[in-house]
Amino acid sequence: MINELGGFLNLTIRRKGDERGSHVVNDITGIVWISENELLYTVSPIYGKPGVFLYDCNLFETKRIVGPRTINTAYPDGADYFELQAFSPDLGGRILFYYSPDVDSVDFGEFRKPKFLHQVCLDGTGFKKAELKKEK
């Protein structure tokens, strides 16, 4: 849902039929179902706690796959900006996302370009700039 105060996106996670047990994640920047029971999403540091996350509907558990690397007084939970671009099950569960270590330095006119694209494996290993195949 769009947050009524700022226009950013909120994700509400709850067990089916349990309105009391809901959990709201603020400032979602990307979301994709990677299986029938697994939801992959990214969070911005502006109103949320940044990172790349996986929610398992069967276990009712959230796992942070990639956390922030830049902590400062303005962003005590992390200043890193993450934006999910894709999930590639064909390539060993590779997650592609746009990344900047400091949200305040992001030029969003330039941000969604290959130089900001990063990758990580679903288990959290292999965080690096994305390896893109060049077309012939």
Side-chain angles (χ1 to χ4, degrees), residues 25-81:
V25 181
N26 292 320
D27 215 356
I28 299 295
T29 57
I31 189 168
V32 65
W33 287 100
I34 63 169
S35 75
E36 189 174 300
N37 294 301
E38 294 176 304
L39 183 66
L40 184 65
Y41 62 93
T42 50
V43 178
S44 161
I46 299 172
Y47 299 106
K49 294 187 180 193
V52 178
F53 298 87
L54 180 66
Y55 179 71
D56 186 311
C57 297
N58 288 331
L59 300 175
F60 306 107
E61 291 180 355
T62 301
K63 174 185 172 189
R64 184 184 289 189
I65 296 170
V66 179
R69 297 163 186 249
T70 306
I71 307 293
N72 59 39
T73 54
Y75 298 97
D77 292 320
D80 309 55
Y81 186 84

Side-chain angles (χ1 to χ4, degrees), residues 15-29:
R15 291 182 185 193
K16 190 174 184 176
D18 182 6
E19 299 298 317
R20 298 173 290 115
S22 65
H23 173 71
V24 176
V25 181
N26 292 320
D27 215 356
I28 299 295
T29 57

Side-chain angles (χ1 to χ4, degrees), residues 98-134:
Y98 293 105
Y99 171 76
S100 172
D102 182 5
V103 67
D104 289 337
S105 69
V106 175
D107 174 355
F108 284 98
E110 294 291 314
F111 183 65
R112 292 172 189 94
K113 294 190 175 175
K115 70 180 181 177
F116 292 100
L117 194 61
H118 286 67
Q119 68 183 45
V120 70
C121 295
L122 197 53
D123 66 2
T125 61
F127 178 92
K128 61 184 176 182
K129 286 200 173 206
E131 297 173 352
L132 302 174
K133 293 181 181 177
K134 300 197 183 212

Side-chain angles (χ1 to χ4, degrees), residues 75-96:
Y75 298 97
D77 292 320
D80 309 55
Y81 186 84
F82 298 87
E83 185 175 295
L84 185 62
Q85 199 272 335
F87 174 71
S88 180
D90 318 348
L91 300 173
R94 186 170 68 154
I95 302 164
L96 296 174

